[in-house]
Amino acid sequence: MTITDAAKRRIFAMLDVDGDGVITRAEYLARVDRAAAAMGRGADHPVVGAARAAHEEVWADMDADHDGRVTFEEYRTWAGHDAFERSCRPALGSLFDVADLDGDGRLSREEFTRLRVASRNTAQDADRAFDDLDTDRAGFVGRDAYLAGIHDYVTTGVSPMGAVYGSPNGI
């Protein structure tokens, strides 16, 4: 199964913060700033710097014509398994690291929700996604489960992380 246009449109809409039909570099990189602010981390924190660098890599990969703007058609062509593995996995993992305040490789419900709300999801959608990913009911979501959930959604449109994609605003 491949990702549907509906799933791609939901992700694109989340990244196109101002809703003008294009993702700018500033809109894309603001993801890092929102996550850092939500977690109380300053721009000079090492995990924030790593996240910014990883997101710069995604931007360079996603903006195929290097015009500083990504249209939906450009995003549609780019999105999928290869792009995820090549650049999204490190970038999304870096956001996980920004949210993982104690560095234990897992997010509590509070950390998870703060990260997902900073990513323009509702707290209710984040809560549902956390429940779906916390399969052992230990009260935590590990990095691998988090990234696998996003991978499954961006490559197939179906995932336990699907709850955070339920609202039209977020991934």
Side-chain angles (χ1 to χ4, degrees), residues 17-40:
V17 175
D18 64 9
D20 68 353
V22 298
I23 305 164
T24 65
R25 180 177 174 274
E27 283 174 316
Y28 187 73
L29 294 178
R31 296 168 51 109
V32 176
D33 299 332
R34 287 191 312 270
M39 304 314 292

Side-chain angles (χ1 to χ4, degrees), residues 1 3 8-9 16 21 25 28 30 41 51 58-59 67 74-75 80 86 109 118 120 129 134-135 141 150 158 168:
M1 180 185 287
I3 187 170
K8 286 181 183 181
R9 285 191 189 285
D16 178 16
R25 180 177 174 274
Y28 187 73
R41 297 206 192 249
V58 174
W59 178 255
D67 67 352
E74 196 172 3
Y75 178 81
R86 183 174 56 247
R109 183 179 298 274
R120 301 185 64 222
D134 181 18
T135 57
V141 171
I150 295 173
V158 178

Side-chain angles (χ1 to χ4, degrees), residues 112-171:
F112 183 91
T113 300
R114 288 168 61 187
L115 173 61
R116 296 315 310 170
V117 168
S119 296
R120 301 185 64 222
N121 301 122
T122 68
Q124 180 181 1
D125 289 344
D127 202 45
R128 286 185 18 229
F130 185 91
D131 289 341
D132 288 344
L133 289 172
D134 181 18
T135 57
D136 64 1
R137 303 296 178 243
F140 297 96
V141 171
R143 193 176 203 271
D144 290 342
Y146 181 77
L147 293 173
I150 295 173
H151 172 270
D152 290 349
Y153 188 78
V154 301
T155 59
T156 69
V158 178
S159 160
M161 278 290 280
V164 295
Y165 310 111
S167 68
N169 291 336
I171 177 174

